[in-house]
Amino acid sequence: FYKDSHQTTCQAKVLACREVKKGYEILLDQTVFYPEGGGQPCDIGTMNRVEVMDVQEKDGEIWHRTREAIQEGTEVTCRIDWERRFDLMQQHSGEHLISGLIHEKYGYNNVGFHMGSETITLDVDGEVPEAVLKEIEAKANQYVWENHPIEITHPSEEELKTLPYRSKKELTGQVRLVRFPGSDLCACCGTHVTHTGEIGAVKILTVENFHEGIRLTMICGKRVMDYLNMVNDQNRQVSVKLSAKIGETAVAVGRLQDENFRLKGQVAHVVDELCRAEADRWEGEGSVLLFHDGLEADQVRKMADAVMQKCSGCCAVF
């Protein structure tokens, strides 16, 4: 997976198979499966016809969790879920672009990164105005469409001392650097696309204050298309219900809110009149029991209070 992030299959030999809780763990002499790490989920797929559900690196060895045992010495064909792998590569590479551009402009660091099944969350240790984030998003997409090659290197210890690379922690031993030429250089153990054009598109969805900085929610690649299709479908349904053009639904909703506010005022006036009428009707009486259809909770309380001011006992309204 490091030599070729686009390789989807490989032949391997089972070196060990051990039983664990809810399945088995299998060690191979080589693998195409990426183990979970660096904020990136692991690959899943099959080993022959056996499902690979999880892949973890333990003490320098990569173990594949399955529901079925495979005998030691067996030759197997490993096949990853390519759609999942490519999606994760799109997300991870897009995150590098956004983190790098923020770091370039402000010097802020990426201090937290989570790649979920629907979105990516990215924590930055400084505040970035939303207007600037739009500029950064536009710059990232322009870089994507220019289709730059992504370079992955393993510099010597002496070379590392001269390179201004991003890293969340102090690193020792061999360091793997992912370079987006002219944009970002970051230490990373994840899988990436080979050219930025494969990222497709980058979209920042939300930004919120988080600790001393901000938390971004973003998506890349096919997820952007899925998101646009969902938003377009929702907006189309709204436009039909409001008899408004697709590009005018916000204005139509504003008019609907104004009308709703006006009608609520009219209803409140009618309820006030009803409460006064009931209070006058039961003036001087003892305890009163009333039933009214369609009243909201605050209107029920309002009527009970009004009648209690005029009657000489208690009032219960249902």
Side-chain angles (χ1 to χ4, degrees):
F1 48 80
Y2 279 154
K3 291 179 181 178
D4 182 1
S5 64
H6 287 63
Q7 183 176 342
T8 60
T9 65
C10 77
Q11 299 298 121
K13 183 178 180 180
V14 175
L15 299 180
C17 179
R18 62 191 185 192
E19 188 171 3
V20 294
K21 187 177 181 181
K22 296 183 179 180
Y24 298 85
E25 286 185 339
I26 295 174
L27 178 67
L28 303 173
D29 64 343
Q30 61 180 352
T31 185
V32 74
F33 287 90
Y34 176 79
E36 180 180 13
Q40 181 174 323
C42 69
D43 286 324
I44 58 175
T46 58
M47 193 181 297
N48 287 350
R49 295 186 178 181
V50 176
E51 180 184 2
V52 176
M53 304 175 293
D54 189 27
V55 185
Q56 299 290 329
E57 183 174 351
K58 303 175 182 179
D59 300 323
E61 297 177 329
I62 296 177
W63 291 88
H64 309 73
R65 189 161 64 85
T66 65
R67 289 192 178 90
E68 302 175 35
I70 301 179
Q71 187 175 357
E72 183 179 325
T74 302
E75 296 286 338
V76 294
T77 298
C78 298
R79 188 179 306 276
I80 64 170
D81 181 336
W82 168 247
E83 184 176 351
R84 172 186 168 91
R85 160 74 75 81
F86 188 62
D87 169 63
L88 294 175
M89 292 197 303
Q90 286 181 315
Q91 309 313 311
H92 204 157
S93 297
E95 175 270 320
H96 272 236
L97 270 181
I98 294 296
S99 295
L101 290 171
I102 291 175
H103 183 76
E104 178 184 53
K105 187 171 182 65
Y106 291 101
Y108 298 156
N109 296 305
N110 171 348
V111 293
F113 167 55
H114 175 70
M115 199 183 306
S117 59
E118 295 183 355
T119 61
I120 308 168
T121 55
L122 168 63
D123 298 335
V124 179
D125 60 357
E127 295 185 8
V128 183
E130 287 196 46
V132 177
L133 284 174
K134 289 182 179 180
E135 295 174 6
I136 287 174
E137 179 186 89
K139 191 172 181 179
N141 281 296
Q142 183 60 44
Y143 190 88
V144 166
W145 303 328
E146 290 170 358
N147 200 27
H148 296 271
I150 296 175
E151 303 169 2
I152 297 178
T153 59
H154 298 81
S156 67
E157 188 174 340
E158 290 302 313
E159 289 175 315
L160 275 177
K161 294 177 182 178
T162 66
L163 295 173
Y165 65 92
R166 293 190 299 113
S167 177
K168 291 188 181 71
K169 58 184 179 181
E170 191 74 24
L171 300 174
T172 58
Q174 189 178 61
V175 176
R176 181 174 183 262
L177 296 183
V178 179
R179 181 192 298 275
F180 289 71
S183 179
D184 185 47
L185 180 63
C186 182
C188 180
C189 63
T191 57
H192 290 273
V193 298
T194 59
H195 290 74
T196 60
E198 291 180 282
I199 299 171
V202 177
K203 180 61 186 172
I204 297 173
L205 298 177
T206 63
V207 56
E208 59 186 74
N209 293 330
F210 186 73
H211 295 319
E212 299 301 317
I214 57 172
R215 168 167 287 181
L216 301 177
T217 302
M218 58 179 286
I219 50 177
C220 304
K222 182 178 178 294
R223 295 190 191 189
V224 176
M225 289 302 300
D226 293 341
Y227 176 79
L228 286 174
N229 287 332
M230 180 274 293
V231 170
N232 185 63
D233 181 61
Q234 290 292 312
N235 197 31
R236 182 182 57 77
Q237 293 182 49
V238 172
S239 73
V240 170
K241 292 180 181 296
L242 297 180
S243 299
K245 294 180 180 179
I246 289 287
E248 299 175 357
T249 51
V251 175
V253 169
R255 288 197 299 266
L256 189 63
Q257 286 180 318
D258 292 341
E259 177 67 10
N260 186 48
F261 182 77
R262 185 182 66 81
L263 291 175
K264 279 186 175 181
Q266 291 182 352
V267 170
H269 177 71
V270 170
V271 171
D272 288 343
E273 290 295 321
L274 178 61
C275 290
R276 279 194 289 270
E278 286 287 13
D280 291 341
R281 177 185 173 194
W282 299 103
E283 185 172 5
E285 299 291 339
S287 294
V288 179
L289 173 64
L290 300 174
F291 291 89
H292 276 278
D293 289 335
L295 294 183
E296 301 291 338
D298 60 329
Q299 297 167 348
V300 170
R301 287 192 293 271
K302 184 178 289 187
M303 180 171 289
D305 289 340
V307 175
M308 286 278 286
Q309 298 300 319
K310 295 292 185 76
C311 72
S312 58
C314 296
C315 176
V317 181
F318 291 85

